[in-house]
Amino acid sequence: MISFPTAKINLGLHITAKRKDGYHDIESCMIPIPLLDGLEMIIEPKKTTFTTSGLDVPGDPKDNLILKAYQLLKKDFPNLPHLSIHLHKNIPMGAGLGGGSSDAAFALKLMNNLFDLILDDFFLEEYAAHLGSDCPFFIENTPKIVRGRGELLKPVELNLTGTYLVLINPGIHIGTKEAYAGVTPTPPIVSLEEVLKNKSRWKDELVNDFEASIFLNHPEIAAIKNKLYENGAYYAAMSGSGSSVFGLFEEEPPSIQWEHRYFKFEAIL
């Protein structure tokens, strides 16, 4: 059985509070984008194996979130069979696009179908929350207002049909420690839901709190955002904690000097 985990981008990202458990509360609008990994699972009689292709996946394979998702389900369903798992990695890692979280969430959904567990999305989101802050979003994989540590999800209507998306990944790794070191948590000044209703407000009011300090440390990332606006984007921002930057265009954009991915939203999100 095969599925295709998607990437995501953030329309605004506020760090609203530091939690007692060491994590941070956030507020953001996440939307899936058509940049895909490939994930295959086949029931295996002898032992569970995990292989990858495409982009290099660093670290010990035993620590991969896909295998952690399998082990998480196996705690509650001890009779789960072994699996042969293959991941073709296409979403850049450490780029603010949620690729690893998406892989884990799609692994849960794939196993739910493959093993006929009949778990509804609520329970899958509960499992996903144990794997990572962004993981619950990818269960339903539709535009959501995300709050709390990422587990509080609220549907939001966004019509981006016909919008062009330019996505640029400069290949700069931004660690979580660096990203949060430059942020002072503050409650949002304006309602995210209200801002999202009016695209003319996005440029000035749909802010990613990570940008200020990261742009100081990595001015080349700021230069990409500025260039997207110069080329006609109605909204441009860094996604997540970076370093990927995206621009949204009403009309087909001109050529961009950086290597980039280019999409057009064909359906109402």
Side-chain angles (χ1 to χ4, degrees), residues 27-216:
E27 180 183 77
S28 182
C29 176
M30 294 185 184
I31 64 173
I33 62 172
L35 176 61
L36 311 176
D37 284 343
L39 179 61
E40 181 183 51
M41 292 184 173
I42 301 171
I43 292 176
E44 168 65 42
K46 295 183 179 179
K47 67 176 183 177
T48 295
T49 61
F50 177 67
T51 57
T52 65
S53 58
L55 297 176
D56 182 53
V57 180
D60 191 328
K62 291 184 293 185
D63 296 327
N64 191 277
L65 287 179
I66 294 171
L67 286 180
K68 288 185 176 182
Y70 172 74
Q71 294 298 335
L72 189 64
L73 285 181
K74 197 167 178 63
K75 287 181 181 179
D76 290 339
F77 301 93
N79 293 324
L80 290 185
H82 292 295
L83 288 172
S84 173
I85 305 170
H86 183 78
L87 172 67
H88 182 76
K89 195 65 185 163
N90 182 52
I91 302 170
M93 288 151 287
L97 300 173
S101 297
S102 181
D103 293 338
F106 273 75
L108 289 172
K109 294 191 287 186
L110 194 57
M111 288 185 286
N112 188 40
N113 292 330
L114 184 62
F115 300 138
D116 293 322
L117 301 180
I118 320 176
L119 296 169
D120 66 22
D121 286 347
F122 172 81
F123 290 107
L124 290 173
E125 287 171 0
E126 288 282 311
Y127 281 114
H130 289 285
L131 297 171
S133 297
D134 288 346
C135 291
F137 163 77
F138 289 103
I139 296 299
E140 290 191 348
N141 205 38
T142 58
K144 294 283 199 310
I145 301 293
V146 180
R147 293 189 172 96
R149 195 168 66 89
E151 80 283 9
L152 304 178
L153 304 170
K154 179 181 177 181
V156 60
E157 292 186 10
L158 281 175
N159 186 357
L160 295 180
T161 303
T163 296
Y164 294 88
L165 168 69
V166 172
L167 179 67
I168 299 171
N169 174 29
I172 299 169
H173 180 76
I174 307 294
T176 302
K177 184 177 180 180
E178 177 186 355
Y180 278 97
V183 173
T184 301
T186 54
I189 298 173
V190 296
S191 164
L192 180 57
E193 286 93 333
E194 289 301 313
V195 173
L196 287 168
K197 291 178 182 177
N198 187 347
K199 291 180 183 178
S200 67
R201 298 177 62 179
W202 289 15
K203 181 176 180 180
D204 295 323
E205 299 182 67
L206 212 52
V207 176
N208 181 338
D209 286 347
F210 287 120
E211 287 185 355
S213 62
I214 288 176
F215 284 1
L216 283 176

Side-chain angles (χ1 to χ4, degrees), residues 214-269:
I214 288 176
F215 284 1
L216 283 176
N217 294 337
H218 304 280
E220 57 271 47
I221 303 177
I224 295 172
K225 178 179 175 178
N226 292 336
K227 182 60 69 173
L228 288 168
Y229 275 126
E230 290 173 10
N231 280 272
Y234 69 82
Y235 180 67
M238 188 174 70
S239 186
S241 58
S243 60
S244 293
V245 182
F246 65 92
L248 300 177
F249 296 78
E250 295 283 8
E251 299 179 354
E252 188 169 359
S255 178
I256 306 293
Q257 70 185 72
W258 290 276
E259 182 179 350
H260 62 279
R261 308 289 183 101
Y262 174 71
F263 309 98
K264 184 179 180 182
F265 291 105
E266 300 290 354
I268 295 177
L269 293 174

